Tab-separated table of all heavy atoms in Angstrom:
chain	number	residue	atom	x	y	z
L	143	ILE	N	39.198	18.195	39.811
L	143	ILE	CA	37.804	18.448	40.177
L	143	ILE	C	36.917	17.284	39.747
L	143	ILE	O	36.048	16.818	40.503
L	143	ILE	CB	37.320	19.767	39.537
L	143	ILE	CG1	38.044	20.950	40.178
L	143	ILE	CG2	35.809	19.923	39.690
L	143	ILE	CD1	37.758	22.271	39.497
L	144	LEU	N	37.136	16.799	38.522
L	144	LEU	CA	36.356	15.658	38.050
L	144	LEU	C	36.593	14.432	38.931
L	144	LEU	O	35.658	13.690	39.266
L	144	LEU	CB	36.725	15.340	36.600
L	144	LEU	CG	36.318	16.366	35.545
L	144	LEU	CD1	36.884	15.983	34.187
L	144	LEU	CD2	34.809	16.515	35.470
L	145	GLU	N	37.847	14.211	39.315
L	145	GLU	CA	38.201	13.048	40.128
L	145	GLU	C	37.570	13.124	41.515
L	145	GLU	O	37.069	12.125	42.044
L	145	GLU	CB	39.726	12.962	40.245
L	145	GLU	CG	40.231	11.881	41.181
L	145	GLU	CD	40.097	10.481	40.614
L	145	GLU	OE1	39.857	10.370	39.397
L	145	GLU	OE2	40.243	9.522	41.383
L	146	LEU	N	37.584	14.309	42.115
L	146	LEU	CA	37.146	14.452	43.506
L	146	LEU	C	35.639	14.611	43.659
L	146	LEU	O	35.073	14.172	44.670
L	146	LEU	CB	37.850	15.652	44.142
L	146	LEU	CG	39.371	15.530	44.325
L	146	LEU	CD1	39.939	16.832	44.856
L	146	LEU	CD2	39.708	14.381	45.265
L	147	PHE	N	34.994	15.207	42.653
L	147	PHE	CA	33.600	15.577	42.861
L	147	PHE	C	32.613	15.037	41.829
L	147	PHE	O	31.413	15.060	42.083
L	147	PHE	CB	33.474	17.114	42.872
L	147	PHE	CG	34.323	17.783	43.908
L	147	PHE	CD1	35.450	18.489	43.540
L	147	PHE	CD2	34.004	17.681	45.255
L	147	PHE	CE1	36.244	19.111	44.497
L	147	PHE	CE2	34.785	18.296	46.220
L	147	PHE	CZ	35.914	19.012	45.845
L	148	VAL	N	33.081	14.546	40.697
L	148	VAL	CA	32.157	14.147	39.634
L	148	VAL	C	32.257	12.658	39.311
L	148	VAL	O	31.251	11.930	39.389
L	148	VAL	CB	32.407	14.976	38.351
L	148	VAL	CG1	31.437	14.553	37.245
L	148	VAL	CG2	32.280	16.464	38.640
L	149	MET	N	33.449	12.193	38.942
L	149	MET	CA	33.620	10.809	38.513
L	149	MET	C	33.738	9.876	39.714
L	149	MET	O	34.774	9.254	39.968
L	149	MET	CB	34.851	10.692	37.613
L	149	MET	CG	34.767	11.546	36.364
L	149	MET	SD	33.317	11.116	35.377
L	149	MET	CE	33.440	12.303	34.048
L	150	LYS	N	32.639	9.768	40.459
L	150	LYS	CA	32.597	8.927	41.650
L	150	LYS	C	31.134	8.689	42.010
L	150	LYS	O	30.230	9.317	41.458
L	150	LYS	CB	33.329	9.597	42.808
L	150	LYS	CG	32.738	10.950	43.181
L	150	LYS	CD	33.569	11.677	44.227
L	150	LYS	CE	33.660	10.916	45.520
L	150	LYS	NZ	34.377	11.664	46.566
L	151	ASP	N	30.924	7.787	42.944
L	151	ASP	CA	29.570	7.511	43.412
L	151	ASP	C	29.198	8.569	44.448
L	151	ASP	O	29.409	8.393	45.649
L	151	ASP	CB	29.493	6.105	44.006
L	151	ASP	CG	28.111	5.781	44.553
L	151	ASP	OD1	27.137	6.436	44.130
L	151	ASP	OD2	28.012	4.874	45.412
L	152	VAL	N	28.652	9.671	43.982
L	152	VAL	CA	28.335	10.796	44.866
L	152	VAL	C	27.140	10.477	45.754
L	152	VAL	O	27.128	10.803	46.947
L	152	VAL	CB	28.061	12.065	44.033
L	152	VAL	CG1	27.689	13.233	44.943
L	152	VAL	CG2	29.273	12.426	43.184
L	153	THR	N	26.128	9.829	45.196
L	153	THR	CA	24.895	9.585	45.937
L	153	THR	C	24.973	8.372	46.850
L	153	THR	O	24.151	8.227	47.760
L	153	THR	CB	23.729	9.387	44.963
L	153	THR	OG1	23.977	8.220	44.153
L	153	THR	CG2	23.584	10.598	44.056
L	154	GLY	N	25.937	7.489	46.627
L	154	GLY	CA	26.025	6.267	47.421
L	154	GLY	C	25.067	5.186	46.976
L	154	GLY	O	24.882	4.193	47.688
L	155	ASN	N	24.469	5.355	45.790
L	155	ASN	CA	23.488	4.389	45.296
L	155	ASN	C	24.001	3.572	44.113
L	155	ASN	O	23.206	3.037	43.342
L	155	ASN	CB	22.201	5.129	44.878
L	155	ASN	CG	21.524	5.818	46.045
L	155	ASN	OD1	21.492	5.282	47.160
L	155	ASN	ND2	20.986	7.008	45.806
L	156	ALA	N	25.299	3.485	43.938
L	156	ALA	CA	25.865	2.739	42.818
L	156	ALA	C	25.474	1.266	42.893
L	156	ALA	O	25.509	0.658	43.973
L	156	ALA	CB	27.381	2.871	42.807
L	157	GLU	N	25.115	0.694	41.757
L	157	GLU	CA	24.718	-0.704	41.705
L	157	GLU	C	25.901	-1.640	41.505
L	157	GLU	O	25.794	-2.844	41.736
L	157	GLU	CB	23.700	-0.916	40.585
L	157	GLU	CG	22.402	-0.142	40.782
L	157	GLU	CD	21.430	-0.330	39.639
L	157	GLU	OE1	21.757	-1.105	38.712
L	157	GLU	OE2	20.349	0.285	39.662
L	158	PHE	N	27.039	-1.085	41.051
L	158	PHE	CA	28.226	-1.896	40.792
L	158	PHE	C	29.424	-0.956	40.757
L	158	PHE	O	29.274	0.267	40.598
L	158	PHE	CB	28.087	-2.649	39.459
L	158	PHE	CG	27.663	-1.781	38.312
L	158	PHE	CD1	28.594	-1.047	37.574
L	158	PHE	CD2	26.315	-1.673	37.966
L	158	PHE	CE1	28.206	-0.246	36.522
L	158	PHE	CE2	25.919	-0.869	36.905
L	158	PHE	CZ	26.859	-0.153	36.183
L	159	PRO	N	30.640	-1.483	40.929
L	159	PRO	CA	31.838	-0.641	40.867
L	159	PRO	C	31.947	0.079	39.523
L	159	PRO	O	31.867	-0.550	38.471
L	159	PRO	CB	32.988	-1.640	41.052
L	159	PRO	CG	32.384	-2.774	41.807
L	159	PRO	CD	30.978	-2.885	41.294
L	160	GLY	N	32.099	1.391	39.563
L	160	GLY	CA	32.175	2.173	38.340
L	160	GLY	C	30.857	2.794	37.930
L	160	GLY	O	30.794	3.469	36.898
L	161	ASP	N	29.799	2.581	38.714
L	161	ASP	CA	28.492	3.174	38.419
L	161	ASP	C	28.499	4.626	38.898
L	161	ASP	O	28.329	4.905	40.076
L	161	ASP	CB	27.397	2.374	39.125
L	161	ASP	CG	26.003	2.934	38.848
L	161	ASP	OD1	25.889	3.883	38.046
L	161	ASP	OD2	25.032	2.423	39.435
L	162	PHE	N	28.699	5.556	37.954
L	162	PHE	CA	28.777	6.973	38.278
L	162	PHE	C	27.546	7.740	37.791
L	162	PHE	O	27.608	8.950	37.559
L	162	PHE	CB	30.024	7.606	37.640
L	162	PHE	CG	31.323	7.026	38.110
L	162	PHE	CD1	32.464	7.138	37.342
L	162	PHE	CD2	31.411	6.341	39.314
L	162	PHE	CE1	33.669	6.609	37.772
L	162	PHE	CE2	32.600	5.793	39.754
L	162	PHE	CZ	33.738	5.923	38.975
L	163	ARG	N	26.418	7.059	37.650
L	163	ARG	CA	25.225	7.742	37.139
L	163	ARG	C	24.738	8.812	38.106
L	163	ARG	O	24.270	9.868	37.702
L	163	ARG	CB	24.122	6.722	36.866
L	163	ARG	CG	24.397	5.825	35.675
L	163	ARG	CD	23.306	4.779	35.532
L	163	ARG	NE	23.316	3.856	36.661
L	163	ARG	CZ	22.308	3.050	36.973
L	163	ARG	NH1	21.197	3.074	36.247
L	163	ARG	NH2	22.399	2.227	38.001
L	164	ASN	N	24.785	8.536	39.372
L	164	ASN	CA	24.407	9.501	40.410
L	164	ASN	C	23.008	10.086	40.192
L	164	ASN	O	22.759	11.273	40.450
L	164	ASN	CB	25.434	10.642	40.475
L	164	ASN	CG	26.793	10.159	40.931
L	164	ASN	OD1	26.911	9.414	41.888
L	164	ASN	ND2	27.841	10.556	40.213
L	165	GLY	N	22.111	9.242	39.689
L	165	GLY	CA	20.729	9.667	39.524
L	165	GLY	C	20.498	10.639	38.384
L	165	GLY	O	19.400	11.198	38.265
L	166	ALA	N	21.511	10.864	37.533
L	166	ALA	CA	21.359	11.851	36.467
L	166	ALA	C	21.752	11.296	35.112
L	166	ALA	O	20.974	11.351	34.152
L	166	ALA	CB	22.188	13.093	36.796
L	167	LEU	N	22.952	10.773	34.983
L	167	LEU	CA	23.472	10.311	33.689
L	167	LEU	C	23.102	8.845	33.487
L	167	LEU	O	23.906	7.954	33.725
L	167	LEU	CB	24.997	10.500	33.634
L	167	LEU	CG	25.478	11.934	33.832
L	167	LEU	CD1	27.006	11.969	33.882
L	167	LEU	CD2	24.968	12.840	32.723
L	168	ASP	N	21.883	8.603	33.043
L	168	ASP	CA	21.403	7.234	32.920
L	168	ASP	C	21.565	6.691	31.504
L	168	ASP	O	21.958	5.546	31.309
L	168	ASP	CB	19.927	7.157	33.330
L	168	ASP	CG	19.413	5.736	33.324
L	168	ASP	OD1	19.670	5.008	34.300
L	168	ASP	OD2	18.778	5.342	32.323
L	169	PHE	N	21.247	7.498	30.493
L	169	PHE	CA	21.342	7.108	29.086
L	169	PHE	C	20.591	5.810	28.785
L	169	PHE	O	21.011	4.994	27.983
L	169	PHE	CB	22.800	6.956	28.659
L	169	PHE	CG	23.589	8.225	28.749
L	169	PHE	CD1	24.599	8.361	29.683
L	169	PHE	CD2	23.310	9.295	27.906
L	169	PHE	CE1	25.323	9.545	29.771
L	169	PHE	CE2	24.026	10.478	27.991
L	169	PHE	CZ	25.033	10.601	28.925
L	170	GLY	N	19.469	5.608	29.468
L	170	GLY	CA	18.630	4.446	29.204
L	170	GLY	C	19.106	3.153	29.827
L	170	GLY	O	18.615	2.072	29.463
L	171	TRP	N	20.039	3.221	30.770
L	171	TRP	CA	20.587	1.999	31.367
L	171	TRP	C	19.494	1.134	32.003
L	171	TRP	O	19.511	-0.087	31.877
L	171	TRP	CB	21.641	2.365	32.403
L	171	TRP	CG	22.248	1.192	33.105
L	171	TRP	CD1	21.977	0.749	34.371
L	171	TRP	CD2	23.236	0.292	32.581
L	171	TRP	NE1	22.723	-0.359	34.674
L	171	TRP	CE2	23.502	-0.664	33.588
L	171	TRP	CE3	23.901	0.194	31.363
L	171	TRP	CZ2	24.413	-1.694	33.412
L	171	TRP	CZ3	24.812	-0.835	31.181
L	171	TRP	CH2	25.060	-1.759	32.199
L	172	ASP	N	18.558	1.757	32.670
L	172	ASP	CA	17.513	1.002	33.375
L	172	ASP	C	16.512	0.352	32.423
L	172	ASP	O	15.680	-0.443	32.854
L	172	ASP	CB	16.776	1.922	34.361
L	172	ASP	CG	17.647	2.297	35.559
L	172	ASP	OD1	18.545	1.513	35.891
L	172	ASP	OD2	17.415	3.373	36.147
L	173	THR	N	16.601	0.687	31.146
L	173	THR	CA	15.695	0.052	30.180
L	173	THR	C	16.229	-1.293	29.710
L	173	THR	O	15.502	-2.050	29.071
L	173	THR	CB	15.482	0.962	28.951
L	173	THR	OG1	16.730	1.135	28.261
L	173	THR	CG2	14.950	2.329	29.384
L	174	PHE	N	17.494	-1.598	30.015
L	174	PHE	CA	18.087	-2.874	29.620
L	174	PHE	C	17.777	-3.944	30.663
L	174	PHE	O	17.663	-3.655	31.860
L	174	PHE	CB	19.602	-2.750	29.468
L	174	PHE	CG	20.035	-1.749	28.439
L	174	PHE	CD1	20.938	-0.751	28.756
L	174	PHE	CD2	19.539	-1.801	27.144
L	174	PHE	CE1	21.339	0.176	27.814
L	174	PHE	CE2	19.933	-0.879	26.192
L	174	PHE	CZ	20.828	0.109	26.520
L	175	GLY	N	17.677	-5.183	30.195
L	175	GLY	CA	17.498	-6.293	31.105
L	175	GLY	C	18.810	-6.667	31.784
L	175	GLY	O	19.887	-6.209	31.375
L	176	PRO	N	18.751	-7.504	32.829
L	176	PRO	CA	19.961	-7.882	33.576
L	176	PRO	C	21.045	-8.501	32.687
L	176	PRO	O	22.228	-8.204	32.858
L	176	PRO	CB	19.436	-8.886	34.603
L	176	PRO	CG	17.995	-8.532	34.782
L	176	PRO	CD	17.537	-8.062	33.441
L	177	LYS	N	20.665	-9.360	31.729
L	177	LYS	CA	21.655	-9.996	30.857
L	177	LYS	C	22.333	-8.968	29.959
L	177	LYS	O	23.548	-9.025	29.744
L	177	LYS	CB	20.990	-11.093	30.021
L	177	LYS	CG	20.568	-12.310	30.812
L	177	LYS	CD	20.014	-13.383	29.892
L	177	LYS	CE	19.637	-14.632	30.685
L	177	LYS	NZ	19.099	-15.707	29.798
L	178	THR	N	21.555	-8.038	29.425
L	178	THR	CA	22.124	-7.003	28.561
L	178	THR	C	23.044	-6.087	29.349
L	178	THR	O	24.123	-5.705	28.864
L	178	THR	CB	21.010	-6.175	27.906
L	178	THR	OG1	20.169	-7.044	27.145
L	178	THR	CG2	21.590	-5.105	26.992
L	179	GLN	N	22.647	-5.731	30.555
L	179	GLN	CA	23.489	-4.886	31.397
L	179	GLN	C	24.814	-5.573	31.707
L	179	GLN	O	25.884	-4.944	31.638
L	179	GLN	CB	22.765	-4.539	32.693
L	179	GLN	CG	21.603	-3.586	32.520
L	179	GLN	CD	20.932	-3.238	33.841
L	179	GLN	OE1	21.142	-3.904	34.865
L	179	GLN	NE2	20.103	-2.213	33.835
L	180	LEU	N	24.747	-6.858	32.018
L	180	LEU	CA	25.964	-7.596	32.323
L	180	LEU	C	26.871	-7.679	31.093
L	180	LEU	O	28.094	-7.534	31.194
L	180	LEU	CB	25.614	-8.997	32.819
L	180	LEU	CG	26.768	-9.807	33.439
L	180	LEU	CD1	27.267	-9.126	34.703
L	180	LEU	CD2	26.327	-11.235	33.732
L	181	ARG	N	26.258	-7.903	29.924
L	181	ARG	CA	27.046	-7.974	28.691
L	181	ARG	C	27.721	-6.643	28.391
L	181	ARG	O	28.896	-6.597	28.018
L	181	ARG	CB	26.148	-8.381	27.523
L	181	ARG	CG	26.889	-8.520	26.195
L	181	ARG	CD	25.966	-9.007	25.098
L	181	ARG	NE	24.923	-8.048	24.807
L	181	ARG	CZ	25.057	-7.021	23.967
L	181	ARG	NH1	26.207	-6.837	23.337
L	181	ARG	NH2	24.066	-6.198	23.761
L	182	LYS	N	27.006	-5.551	28.557
L	182	LYS	CA	27.573	-4.234	28.291
L	182	LYS	C	28.684	-3.894	29.282
L	182	LYS	O	29.690	-3.275	28.919
L	182	LYS	CB	26.470	-3.168	28.329
L	182	LYS	CG	25.526	-3.231	27.138
L	182	LYS	CD	24.505	-2.116	27.166
L	182	LYS	CE	23.637	-2.135	25.921
L	182	LYS	NZ	24.419	-1.833	24.693
L	183	ARG	N	28.523	-4.296	30.525
L	183	ARG	CA	29.594	-4.076	31.506
L	183	ARG	C	30.836	-4.878	31.133
L	183	ARG	O	31.969	-4.403	31.288
L	183	ARG	CB	29.114	-4.458	32.906
L	183	ARG	CG	28.120	-3.491	33.529
L	183	ARG	CD	27.648	-4.003	34.877
L	183	ARG	NE	28.797	-4.217	35.765
L	183	ARG	CZ	28.761	-5.007	36.839
L	183	ARG	NH1	27.646	-5.676	37.138
L	183	ARG	NH2	29.830	-5.137	37.595
L	184	GLY	N	30.621	-6.099	30.642
L	184	GLY	CA	31.744	-6.920	30.209
L	184	GLY	C	32.455	-6.325	29.000
L	184	GLY	O	33.685	-6.345	28.910
L	185	ILE	N	31.689	-5.756	28.073
L	185	ILE	CA	32.279	-5.109	26.897
L	185	ILE	C	33.137	-3.929	27.326
L	185	ILE	O	34.263	-3.749	26.848
L	185	ILE	CB	31.175	-4.655	25.924
L	185	ILE	CG1	30.492	-5.876	25.284
L	185	ILE	CG2	31.739	-3.736	24.847
L	185	ILE	CD1	29.280	-5.541	24.454
L	186	GLU	N	32.597	-3.111	28.225
L	186	GLU	CA	33.369	-1.957	28.700
L	186	GLU	C	34.646	-2.402	29.408
L	186	GLU	O	35.725	-1.819	29.199
L	186	GLU	CB	32.537	-1.107	29.659
L	186	GLU	CG	33.309	0.100	30.171
L	186	GLU	CD	32.614	0.846	31.285
L	186	GLU	OE1	31.896	0.202	32.094
L	186	GLU	OE2	32.788	2.070	31.388
L	187	LEU	N	34.540	-3.433	30.222
L	187	LEU	CA	35.704	-3.923	30.959
L	187	LEU	C	36.790	-4.408	30.001
L	187	LEU	O	37.972	-4.064	30.154
L	187	LEU	CB	35.274	-5.051	31.893
L	187	LEU	CG	36.317	-5.573	32.868
L	187	LEU	CD1	36.756	-4.487	33.839
L	187	LEU	CD2	35.757	-6.768	33.647
L	188	ASN	N	36.407	-5.187	29.006
L	188	ASN	CA	37.393	-5.716	28.051
L	188	ASN	C	37.971	-4.624	27.165
L	188	ASN	O	39.173	-4.622	26.868
L	188	ASN	CB	36.752	-6.808	27.192
L	188	ASN	CG	36.577	-8.101	27.952
L	188	ASN	OD1	37.352	-8.403	28.840
L	188	ASN	ND2	35.546	-8.859	27.625
L	189	ASN	N	37.129	-3.690	26.725
L	189	ASN	CA	37.644	-2.582	25.925
L	189	ASN	C	38.606	-1.719	26.736
L	189	ASN	O	39.605	-1.209	26.205
L	189	ASN	CB	36.489	-1.731	25.398
L	189	ASN	CG	35.718	-2.407	24.284
L	189	ASN	OD1	36.162	-3.414	23.738
L	189	ASN	ND2	34.562	-1.866	23.943
L	190	GLY	N	38.314	-1.553	28.014
L	190	GLY	CA	39.214	-0.802	28.878
L	190	GLY	C	40.550	-1.500	29.049
L	190	GLY	O	41.613	-0.848	29.035
L	191	ARG	N	40.529	-2.803	29.190
L	191	ARG	CA	41.782	-3.560	29.313
L	191	ARG	C	42.604	-3.430	28.026
L	191	ARG	O	43.828	-3.232	28.073
L	191	ARG	CB	41.475	-5.029	29.585
L	191	ARG	CG	40.915	-5.302	30.974
L	191	ARG	CD	40.384	-6.720	31.091
L	191	ARG	NE	39.945	-7.016	32.447
L	191	ARG	CZ	39.277	-8.112	32.789
L	191	ARG	NH1	38.981	-9.010	31.862
L	191	ARG	NH2	38.922	-8.306	34.040
L	192	ALA	N	41.923	-3.556	26.881
L	192	ALA	CA	42.632	-3.420	25.610
L	192	ALA	C	43.203	-2.015	25.452
L	192	ALA	O	44.327	-1.833	24.964
L	192	ALA	CB	41.685	-3.742	24.455
L	193	ALA	N	42.443	-1.012	25.876
L	193	ALA	CA	42.908	0.364	25.752
L	193	ALA	C	44.099	0.638	26.654
L	193	ALA	O	45.003	1.401	26.286
L	193	ALA	CB	41.772	1.330	26.080
L	194	MET	N	44.120	0.037	27.846
L	194	MET	CA	45.266	0.227	28.733
L	194	MET	C	46.535	-0.316	28.101
L	194	MET	O	47.599	0.319	28.152
L	194	MET	CB	44.999	-0.440	30.097
L	194	MET	CG	44.045	0.327	30.980
L	194	MET	SD	43.894	-0.339	32.648
L	194	MET	CE	42.720	-1.672	32.393
L	195	LEU	N	46.439	-1.483	27.494
L	195	LEU	CA	47.592	-2.031	26.784
L	195	LEU	C	47.925	-1.185	25.560
L	195	LEU	O	49.098	-0.950	25.248
L	195	LEU	CB	47.301	-3.473	26.366
L	195	LEU	CG	47.151	-4.486	27.506
L	195	LEU	CD1	46.699	-5.833	26.948
L	195	LEU	CD2	48.448	-4.640	28.273
L	196	GLY	N	46.888	-0.722	24.855
L	196	GLY	CA	47.100	0.061	23.647
L	196	GLY	C	47.784	1.385	23.921
L	196	GLY	O	48.747	1.749	23.242
L	197	ILE	N	47.308	2.125	24.907
L	197	ILE	CA	47.909	3.432	25.172
L	197	ILE	C	49.304	3.275	25.758
L	197	ILE	O	50.188	4.102	25.498
L	197	ILE	CB	47.004	4.271	26.104
L	197	ILE	CG1	47.463	5.731	26.116
L	197	ILE	CG2	46.971	3.705	27.500
L	197	ILE	CD1	47.419	6.401	24.778
L	198	LEU	N	49.526	2.225	26.520
L	198	LEU	CA	50.882	1.979	27.025
L	198	LEU	C	51.829	1.696	25.870
L	198	LEU	O	52.971	2.180	25.851
L	198	LEU	CB	50.883	0.807	28.003
L	198	LEU	CG	52.237	0.465	28.645
L	198	LEU	CD1	52.762	1.656	29.444
L	198	LEU	CD2	52.121	-0.765	29.535
L	199	GLY	N	51.356	0.931	24.873
L	199	GLY	CA	52.178	0.668	23.696
L	199	GLY	C	52.488	1.944	22.923
L	199	GLY	O	53.608	2.140	22.465
L	200	LEU	N	51.492	2.830	22.785
L	200	LEU	CA	51.715	4.097	22.093
L	200	LEU	C	52.741	4.946	22.837
L	200	LEU	O	53.618	5.566	22.227
L	200	LEU	CB	50.404	4.865	21.960
L	200	LEU	CG	49.335	4.267	21.043
L	200	LEU	CD1	48.112	5.166	21.014
L	200	LEU	CD2	49.865	4.061	19.641
L	201	MET	N	52.621	4.969	24.160
L	201	MET	CA	53.557	5.756	24.965
L	201	MET	C	54.978	5.227	24.828
L	201	MET	O	55.939	5.996	24.732
L	201	MET	CB	53.113	5.734	26.428
L	201	MET	CG	51.839	6.511	26.698
L	201	MET	SD	51.122	6.114	28.312
L	201	MET	CE	52.494	6.493	29.400
L	202	MET	N	55.141	3.909	24.796
L	202	MET	CA	56.467	3.311	24.680
L	202	MET	C	57.062	3.587	23.303
L	202	MET	O	58.229	3.959	23.178
L	202	MET	CB	56.385	1.812	24.950
L	202	MET	CG	56.012	1.452	26.379
L	202	MET	SD	55.799	-0.327	26.629
L	202	MET	CE	57.451	-0.916	26.277
L	203	HIS	N	56.260	3.398	22.242
L	203	HIS	CA	56.770	3.618	20.890
L	203	HIS	C	57.113	5.078	20.645
L	203	HIS	O	58.000	5.393	19.852
L	203	HIS	CB	55.745	3.144	19.855
L	203	HIS	CG	55.830	1.673	19.581
L	203	HIS	ND1	56.655	1.151	18.625
L	203	HIS	CD2	55.212	0.617	20.152
L	203	HIS	CE1	56.538	-0.169	18.610
L	203	HIS	NE2	55.670	-0.514	19.532
L	204	GLU	N	56.409	5.960	21.330
L	204	GLU	CA	56.688	7.384	21.172
L	204	GLU	C	58.098	7.735	21.631
L	204	GLU	O	58.706	8.684	21.146
L	204	GLU	CB	55.672	8.207	21.958
L	204	GLU	CG	55.797	9.694	21.747
L	204	GLU	CD	54.769	10.479	22.542
L	204	GLU	OE1	54.182	9.903	23.478
L	204	GLU	OE2	54.555	11.662	22.236
L	205	GLN	N	58.624	6.949	22.574
L	205	GLN	CA	59.952	7.222	23.115
L	205	GLN	C	61.063	6.525	22.330
L	205	GLN	O	62.234	6.717	22.630
L	205	GLN	CB	60.007	6.790	24.586
L	205	GLN	CG	58.976	7.456	25.471
L	205	GLN	CD	59.074	8.965	25.438
L	205	GLN	OE1	60.177	9.521	25.475
L	205	GLN	NE2	57.936	9.644	25.348
L	206	ILE	N	60.707	5.704	21.351
L	206	ILE	CA	61.705	5.001	20.543
L	206	ILE	C	62.010	5.823	19.305
L	206	ILE	O	61.133	6.080	18.490
L	206	ILE	CB	61.203	3.601	20.145
L	206	ILE	CG1	60.895	2.768	21.388
L	206	ILE	CG2	62.238	2.903	19.266
L	206	ILE	CD1	60.294	1.415	21.078
L	207	GLU	N	63.229	6.227	19.146
L	207	GLU	CA	63.604	7.085	18.033
L	207	GLU	C	63.387	6.367	16.696
L	207	GLU	O	63.807	5.237	16.500
L	207	GLU	CB	65.066	7.507	18.155
L	207	GLU	CG	65.512	8.489	17.083
L	207	GLU	CD	66.939	8.959	17.283
L	207	GLU	OE1	67.555	8.548	18.295
L	207	GLU	OE2	67.434	9.710	16.428
L	208	GLY	N	62.714	7.041	15.810
L	208	GLY	CA	62.481	6.492	14.485
L	208	GLY	C	61.286	5.578	14.377
L	208	GLY	O	60.966	5.096	13.292
Side-chain angles (χ1 to χ4, degrees):
I143 292 173
L144 292 174
E145 174 74 14
L146 294 175
F147 303 107
V148 180
M149 300 302 178
K150 59 186 299 184
D151 178 21
V152 178
T153 63
N155 297 322
E157 297 178 2
F158 49 85
D161 180 4
F162 299 158
R163 289 176 294 163
N164 294 314
L167 301 175
D168 185 80
F169 297 112
W171 179 257
D172 289 333
T173 64
F174 300 127
K177 290 184 178 180
T178 301
Q179 290 182 345
L180 191 64
R181 182 176 65 85
K182 288 183 176 294
R183 287 177 57 200
I185 291 172
E186 180 189 32
L187 187 63
N188 285 330
N189 287 348
R191 289 169 175 171
M194 285 187 278
L195 294 173
I197 193 60
L198 182 60
L200 293 181
M201 290 165 57
M202 293 176 63
H203 276 272
E204 186 180 17
Q205 302 303 317
I206 301 175
E207 184 176 357

